[in-house]
Amino acid sequence: MKRVIVIFLMLMSFSAFSQKTQVAVLRYRGGGDWYSNPTSLPNLVKYCNQSLKTDINIDVAVVDVGSPDIFNYPFIHMTGHGNVVFDEEEVRNLRNYLLAGGFLHIDDNYGMKDFVMAQIQKVFPELQWVELPYTHEIFQTPYSFPDGLPKIHEHDNKSPQALAMIYQGRMVCLFTYECDLGDGWEDQRVHHDSEETRLKALKMGANIVQYVFSN
């Protein structure tokens, strides 16, 4: 465990990118389409490498919730439209990963809120979801979002929310809801979003990445 913590402390600093860090998409059970938006994370990685001067591997991995391989990735992205199920072993593995310095970003593609929030609550039963204020640093740097998360796609005419699990002062999980950042990261041909909309999504994604690797 000490070795895992040391590795993550190194990865959490931009100055420590001596070898390429890799990020991953989380594969989960329950019937939800964990595999949706396949071009999203690769495009975000490319954007961060260009705009933030990171050196993240453009080959995005896929990792199961209960796999020990999860500890190889400091940043895990999760998305989908439907049901999510974690068993006890997966809950334990994900909790250990997050406590060891890992980070989970969940982006609701539409319809996963009730499922995923309940499953993460199993991972941290002692914590409550909190909504990040617009003044939080994740909305400030390197790009300014004074009104919080940008609205990329409309679903239920609700305002976007950035919901977080914070353990001992450190954000371990961010859930972006009613926003659809991942759709904005996808190739333009997929959703035909304007370049302005896609750029807003990518900039917000870059803020998340910078926050993860600098905290």
Side-chain angles (χ1 to χ4, degrees), residues 65-191:
V65 184
S67 172
D69 292 339
I70 199 171
F71 290 89
N72 294 328
Y73 313 107
F75 180 98
I76 303 291
H77 176 72
M78 179 181 184
T79 192
H81 293 84
N83 195 23
V84 178
V85 174
F86 297 160
D87 63 25
E88 290 184 10
E89 181 179 344
E90 290 169 334
V91 165
R92 183 165 51 252
N93 194 57
L94 184 56
R95 181 182 174 92
N96 288 339
Y97 162 76
L98 295 172
L99 293 184
F103 186 91
L104 175 64
H105 172 229
I106 309 168
D107 188 52
D108 186 7
N109 213 338
Y110 186 60
M112 69 186 303
K113 180 183 180 182
D114 291 342
F115 304 110
V116 75
M117 290 184 74
Q119 293 304 301
I120 298 299
Q121 195 73 69
K122 287 165 56 177
V123 178
F124 288 102
E126 74 274 33
L127 302 181
Q128 296 295 321
W129 288 97
V130 296
E131 184 169 4
L132 299 181
Y134 297 166
T135 54
H136 192 277
E137 65 178 287
I138 210 165
F139 301 124
Q140 309 300 321
T141 181
Y143 303 106
S144 177
F145 288 89
D147 298 319
L149 289 173
K151 188 78 166 179
I152 304 304
H153 281 186
E154 186 63 69
H155 293 300
D156 292 329
N157 197 31
K158 296 178 181 178
S159 298
Q161 289 181 288
L163 303 167
M165 282 283 184
I166 299 175
Y167 182 83
Q168 296 185 355
R170 184 177 75 88
M171 189 194 311
V172 295
C173 178
L174 172 67
F175 177 42
T176 47
Y177 172 65
E178 277 292 324
C179 173
D180 237 340
L181 285 177
D183 278 7
W185 300 343
E186 281 240 83
D187 290 347
Q188 197 277 338
R189 60 181 172 78
V190 179
H191 300 289

